[in-house]
Amino acid sequence: MKIVDFKIYEVKPRWIFVKVITDEGINGWGEMISGTKTETVIAGAYEIGKRTLIGRNPFEIERLFQEMHRSFFRGGPIQGTIVSGFEMALWDIKGKALNVPVWELLGGKARDRIKVYSWIGGDRPDDVVNQAQDRVDRGFDSIKMNATEELHYIDSFKKIDAVIKRVSALREKFGMDLNIGIDFHGRVHKAMAKVLASELEQFRPMFLEEVVLPENEDSFKTIASITSTPLATGERLYTRWGFKNIFNEGVIDIIQPDVALVGGINELKKIASTAEALDMAVAPHAPYGPIALAATLQIDTCTPNVFIQEQSLGIHYNKGFDLLDFVDNQEIFHYKNGYVDIPTEPGLGIKLNEDLIEEVSKEKLNWTNPSWKHYDGTIAEW
């Protein structure tokens, strides 16, 4: 079997799908992250794909990963997501060719079902109680919310009080029956992160995520010293080398690698295995489209230290289309009592509506991340 071609699709509102085509009619799907650099990702994907994949054996996944990754200037989110998308598609081909789910090729089941959580509240969190009730009514017992709107280096305690009020309302309504993850989203600087982490401990959160930006990782130790709440990070890191400092510091409790950024399925598995050796949990990041989520469920199935999985259904960024619109076998994303079933179909287990993908991709993406400013006009982290 050889790779003969690939196609890249821009899919509204914010997804990049890639289809890798073989001479035996077995095709694989992968997904890349658009962010605010859609055209750059697509141009890079054509360059890397044409140079590395055409004419090659799609079963040689590790070899092809190494060739795509090991350029002189390597790493970074652009190359990371390009490699990830192609790598996912190679696993999809291999699983389909051998008629087994990808998790069977990665060691087999480590669990019988996968626990999931749902995101609520929006970027500037609001109406969290009603949204949490909606998730509970749909069978979830775990949610994640952004902690706060943007915060300056030193900011008003009025904003801190607003955070406490929101989380307190959730605890008053649901008690300890609802697991609450709280995401700082890197928009909080060290001084205010210390305040928030300390104030939130009374509510016993499931975890605190990205309490500071990953480039300020030296501050994780400071935050960890003032709270017993598990700390999580990793959605903006790529490859196992990007996680080395996190592993060496030993203060993060939960890593959150993203299969569409770190380098793909095998790379995420390697990262998770290292974390297991260091007694760290994994909660993979997956807020994007259906292919990345399907790929992540494959890893969850065979990775014992994954304790919960983010799911991206109904996320408010997906205006115009939801990820289910492009999926024919929607039952693979059916959530019940806070869990999703183990995928059983070959490859990534997802059957896509290619006609709709072709139609939607005729219109270019115009997705861009929000752009925020502080009260004084300085740039705020989103």
Short mmCIF file of all heavy atoms in Angstrom, two decimals, residues 200-234:
data_model
loop_
_atom_site.label_atom_id
_atom_site.label_comp_id
_atom_site.label_asym_id
_atom_site.label_seq_id
_atom_site.Cartn_x
_atom_site.Cartn_y
_atom_site.Cartn_z
N LEU A 200 -10.39 29.71 45.89
CA LEU A 200 -11.21 28.65 45.31
C LEU A 200 -11.07 27.31 46.03
O LEU A 200 -11.92 26.43 45.85
CB LEU A 200 -10.85 28.46 43.83
CG LEU A 200 -11.33 29.57 42.89
CD1 LEU A 200 -10.68 29.44 41.52
CD2 LEU A 200 -12.85 29.56 42.76
N GLU A 201 -10.06 27.14 46.82
CA GLU A 201 -9.81 25.84 47.44
C GLU A 201 -11.00 25.38 48.29
O GLU A 201 -11.28 24.18 48.40
CB GLU A 201 -8.54 25.88 48.28
CG GLU A 201 -8.17 24.52 48.83
CD GLU A 201 -6.71 24.45 49.24
OE1 GLU A 201 -6.08 25.51 49.38
OE2 GLU A 201 -6.21 23.33 49.42
N GLN A 202 -11.73 26.32 48.89
CA GLN A 202 -12.86 25.96 49.75
C GLN A 202 -13.94 25.18 49.01
O GLN A 202 -14.71 24.44 49.62
CB GLN A 202 -13.47 27.23 50.35
CG GLN A 202 -14.05 28.18 49.32
CD GLN A 202 -14.58 29.47 49.88
OE1 GLN A 202 -15.48 29.46 50.72
NE2 GLN A 202 -14.02 30.59 49.43
N PHE A 203 -13.99 25.32 47.67
CA PHE A 203 -15.02 24.66 46.89
C PHE A 203 -14.57 23.29 46.35
O PHE A 203 -15.33 22.62 45.66
CB PHE A 203 -15.45 25.55 45.73
CG PHE A 203 -15.97 26.88 46.18
CD1 PHE A 203 -15.24 28.05 45.93
CD2 PHE A 203 -17.16 26.99 46.89
CE1 PHE A 203 -15.71 29.28 46.35
CE2 PHE A 203 -17.62 28.23 47.32
CZ PHE A 203 -16.90 29.38 47.06
N ARG A 204 -13.35 22.90 46.66
CA ARG A 204 -12.80 21.60 46.27
C ARG A 204 -12.97 21.33 44.77
O ARG A 204 -13.64 20.38 44.36
CB ARG A 204 -13.45 20.49 47.09
CG ARG A 204 -13.18 20.62 48.58
CD ARG A 204 -13.78 19.51 49.36
NE ARG A 204 -13.47 19.64 50.78
CZ ARG A 204 -13.92 18.81 51.73
NH1 ARG A 204 -14.68 17.79 51.39
NH2 ARG A 204 -13.60 19.00 52.99
N PRO A 205 -12.35 22.16 43.94
CA PRO A 205 -12.44 21.93 42.49
C PRO A 205 -11.79 20.62 42.09
O PRO A 205 -10.87 20.12 42.75
CB PRO A 205 -11.68 23.13 41.89
CG PRO A 205 -11.55 24.12 43.00
CD PRO A 205 -11.53 23.34 44.27
N MET A 206 -12.25 20.08 40.97
CA MET A 206 -11.63 18.89 40.40
C MET A 206 -10.19 19.19 40.00
O MET A 206 -9.30 18.36 40.18
CB MET A 206 -12.46 18.44 39.19
CG MET A 206 -11.96 17.24 38.46
SD MET A 206 -13.15 16.56 37.27
CE MET A 206 -13.58 17.98 36.25
N PHE A 207 -9.96 20.37 39.42
CA PHE A 207 -8.61 20.84 39.10
C PHE A 207 -8.67 22.32 38.77
O PHE A 207 -9.74 22.87 38.51
CB PHE A 207 -8.00 20.06 37.92
CG PHE A 207 -8.82 20.06 36.66
CD1 PHE A 207 -8.85 21.17 35.81
CD2 PHE A 207 -9.54 18.93 36.28
CE1 PHE A 207 -9.59 21.17 34.65
CE2 PHE A 207 -10.30 18.92 35.11
CZ PHE A 207 -10.32 20.04 34.30
N LEU A 208 -7.50 22.96 38.79
CA LEU A 208 -7.31 24.32 38.29
C LEU A 208 -6.41 24.22 37.06
O LEU A 208 -5.31 23.68 37.12
CB LEU A 208 -6.65 25.22 39.35
CG LEU A 208 -7.37 25.36 40.69
CD1 LEU A 208 -6.58 26.28 41.61
CD2 LEU A 208 -8.79 25.89 40.51
N GLU A 209 -6.89 24.78 35.95
CA GLU A 209 -6.19 24.61 34.68
C GLU A 209 -5.50 25.90 34.24
O GLU A 209 -6.07 26.99 34.37
CB GLU A 209 -7.21 24.20 33.61
CG GLU A 209 -6.63 24.01 32.22
CD GLU A 209 -7.67 23.52 31.23
OE1 GLU A 209 -8.67 22.91 31.65
OE2 GLU A 209 -7.47 23.75 30.02
N GLU A 210 -4.29 25.76 33.72
CA GLU A 210 -3.50 26.88 33.19
C GLU A 210 -3.59 28.10 34.10
O GLU A 210 -4.00 29.19 33.68
CB GLU A 210 -3.95 27.24 31.77
CG GLU A 210 -3.20 26.48 30.70
CD GLU A 210 -3.24 27.15 29.33
OE1 GLU A 210 -4.18 27.89 29.03
OE2 GLU A 210 -2.29 26.93 28.56
N VAL A 211 -3.18 27.90 35.35
CA VAL A 211 -3.26 29.00 36.32
C VAL A 211 -2.42 30.19 35.89
O VAL A 211 -2.70 31.34 36.25
CB VAL A 211 -2.86 28.53 37.73
CG1 VAL A 211 -3.91 27.61 38.31
CG2 VAL A 211 -1.49 27.85 37.73
N VAL A 212 -1.37 29.93 35.12
CA VAL A 212 -0.60 30.97 34.44
C VAL A 212 -0.27 30.46 33.05
O VAL A 212 -0.45 29.28 32.74
CB VAL A 212 0.71 31.33 35.19
CG1 VAL A 212 0.41 31.98 36.53
CG2 VAL A 212 1.60 30.11 35.37
N LEU A 213 0.22 31.34 32.19
CA LEU A 213 0.62 30.94 30.86
C LEU A 213 1.73 29.89 30.92
O LEU A 213 2.57 29.92 31.83
CB LEU A 213 1.12 32.15 30.07
CG LEU A 213 0.06 33.13 29.59
CD1 LEU A 213 0.74 34.43 29.13
CD2 LEU A 213 -0.76 32.53 28.46
N PRO A 214 1.77 28.96 29.95
CA PRO A 214 2.80 27.92 29.99
C PRO A 214 4.22 28.47 29.94
O PRO A 214 5.14 27.85 30.49
CB PRO A 214 2.48 27.05 28.77
CG PRO A 214 1.59 27.88 27.91
CD PRO A 214 0.83 28.77 28.84
N GLU A 215 4.43 29.64 29.32
CA GLU A 215 5.77 30.21 29.31
C GLU A 215 6.19 30.75 30.68
O GLU A 215 7.35 31.05 30.92
CB GLU A 215 5.91 31.31 28.25
CG GLU A 215 4.88 32.40 28.35
CD GLU A 215 3.74 32.23 27.37
OE1 GLU A 215 3.27 31.07 27.21
OE2 GLU A 215 3.32 33.22 26.76
N ASN A 216 5.23 30.85 31.59
CA ASN A 216 5.53 31.24 32.97
C ASN A 216 5.49 30.03 33.90
O ASN A 216 5.11 30.13 35.07
CB ASN A 216 4.53 32.30 33.45
CG ASN A 216 4.65 33.60 32.68
OD1 ASN A 216 5.73 33.97 32.25
ND2 ASN A 216 3.53 34.30 32.50
N GLU A 217 5.90 28.89 33.37
CA GLU A 217 5.79 27.64 34.11
C GLU A 217 6.55 27.63 35.42
O GLU A 217 6.25 26.84 36.33
CB GLU A 217 6.26 26.47 33.24
CG GLU A 217 7.72 26.54 32.85
CD GLU A 217 8.12 25.47 31.85
OE1 GLU A 217 7.26 24.99 31.10
OE2 GLU A 217 9.31 25.12 31.83
N ASP A 218 7.54 28.51 35.56
CA ASP A 218 8.26 28.59 36.84
C ASP A 218 7.35 29.04 37.97
O ASP A 218 7.66 28.84 39.14
CB ASP A 218 9.46 29.54 36.72
CG ASP A 218 9.09 30.89 36.14
OD1 ASP A 218 8.39 30.93 35.13
OD2 ASP A 218 9.51 31.91 36.70
N SER A 219 6.20 29.63 37.63
CA SER A 219 5.25 30.07 38.66
C SER A 219 4.35 28.94 39.15
O SER A 219 3.66 29.10 40.16
CB SER A 219 4.37 31.20 38.12
OG SER A 219 5.14 32.35 37.84
N PHE A 220 4.32 27.81 38.45
CA PHE A 220 3.49 26.70 38.90
C PHE A 220 3.86 26.26 40.32
O PHE A 220 2.99 25.94 41.13
CB PHE A 220 3.62 25.50 37.94
CG PHE A 220 2.97 25.70 36.60
CD1 PHE A 220 3.56 25.21 35.45
CD2 PHE A 220 1.77 26.38 36.48
CE1 PHE A 220 2.97 25.38 34.21
CE2 PHE A 220 1.16 26.56 35.25
CZ PHE A 220 1.77 26.06 34.11
N LYS A 221 5.14 26.27 40.60
CA LYS A 221 5.58 25.84 41.93
C LYS A 221 5.05 26.78 43.00
O LYS A 221 4.65 26.34 44.09
CB LYS A 221 7.11 25.78 41.97
CG LYS A 221 7.68 25.21 43.25
CD LYS A 221 9.20 25.08 43.19
CE LYS A 221 9.59 24.02 42.19
NZ LYS A 221 11.06 23.77 42.18
N THR A 222 5.03 28.07 42.69
CA THR A 222 4.49 29.05 43.66
C THR A 222 3.02 28.78 43.94
O THR A 222 2.59 28.77 45.09
CB THR A 222 4.66 30.48 43.11
OG1 THR A 222 6.05 30.74 42.89
CG2 THR A 222 4.12 31.50 44.09
N ILE A 223 2.24 28.57 42.89
CA ILE A 223 0.81 28.32 43.06
C ILE A 223 0.58 27.00 43.80
O ILE A 223 -0.28 26.91 44.69
CB ILE A 223 0.08 28.30 41.71
CG1 ILE A 223 0.40 29.54 40.87
CG2 ILE A 223 -1.42 28.15 41.90
CD1 ILE A 223 0.06 30.84 41.53
N ALA A 224 1.35 25.98 43.44
CA ALA A 224 1.19 24.67 44.08
C ALA A 224 1.45 24.74 45.58
O ALA A 224 0.88 23.97 46.35
CB ALA A 224 2.11 23.65 43.42
N SER A 225 2.30 25.68 46.00
CA SER A 225 2.65 25.77 47.41
C SER A 225 1.53 26.34 48.27
O SER A 225 1.58 26.23 49.51
CB SER A 225 3.92 26.62 47.60
OG SER A 225 3.65 27.98 47.32
N ILE A 226 0.51 26.94 47.65
CA ILE A 226 -0.55 27.57 48.43
C ILE A 226 -1.91 26.89 48.26
O ILE A 226 -2.90 27.37 48.81
CB ILE A 226 -0.69 29.07 48.08
CG1 ILE A 226 -1.08 29.26 46.62
CG2 ILE A 226 0.60 29.82 48.39
CD1 ILE A 226 -1.42 30.69 46.26
N THR A 227 -1.96 25.79 47.50
CA THR A 227 -3.23 25.10 47.33
C THR A 227 -3.00 23.61 47.24
O THR A 227 -1.98 23.15 46.74
CB THR A 227 -3.98 25.59 46.08
OG1 THR A 227 -5.25 24.92 45.99
CG2 THR A 227 -3.19 25.34 44.81
N SER A 228 -3.97 22.84 47.73
CA SER A 228 -3.93 21.39 47.57
C SER A 228 -4.72 20.93 46.36
O SER A 228 -4.75 19.74 46.04
CB SER A 228 -4.50 20.72 48.83
OG SER A 228 -5.87 21.07 49.02
N THR A 229 -5.37 21.87 45.67
CA THR A 229 -6.15 21.53 44.47
C THR A 229 -5.22 21.06 43.36
O THR A 229 -4.19 21.68 43.10
CB THR A 229 -6.95 22.75 43.98
OG1 THR A 229 -7.78 23.23 45.04
CG2 THR A 229 -7.81 22.38 42.78
N PRO A 230 -5.54 19.95 42.68
CA PRO A 230 -4.71 19.50 41.56
C PRO A 230 -4.57 20.58 40.49
O PRO A 230 -5.54 21.26 40.14
CB PRO A 230 -5.47 18.29 41.02
CG PRO A 230 -6.25 17.78 42.19
CD PRO A 230 -6.65 19.01 42.95
N LEU A 231 -3.35 20.75 39.98
CA LEU A 231 -3.06 21.71 38.92
C LEU A 231 -2.89 21.00 37.59
O LEU A 231 -2.28 19.93 37.52
CB LEU A 231 -1.79 22.51 39.25
CG LEU A 231 -1.80 23.33 40.54
CD1 LEU A 231 -0.50 24.11 40.67
CD2 LEU A 231 -3.00 24.27 40.62
N ALA A 232 -3.44 21.62 36.53
CA ALA A 232 -3.41 21.02 35.20
C ALA A 232 -2.85 22.01 34.19
O ALA A 232 -3.05 23.22 34.30
CB ALA A 232 -4.83 20.60 34.79
N THR A 233 -2.17 21.48 33.18
CA THR A 233 -1.68 22.32 32.07
C THR A 233 -1.28 21.41 30.92
O THR A 233 -1.19 20.19 31.07
CB THR A 233 -0.48 23.18 32.50
OG1 THR A 233 -0.27 24.21 31.53
CG2 THR A 233 0.80 22.38 32.62
N GLY A 234 -1.03 22.01 29.75
CA GLY A 234 -0.47 21.24 28.65
C GLY A 234 -1.13 21.41 27.30
O GLY A 234 -0.61 20.93 26.29
#
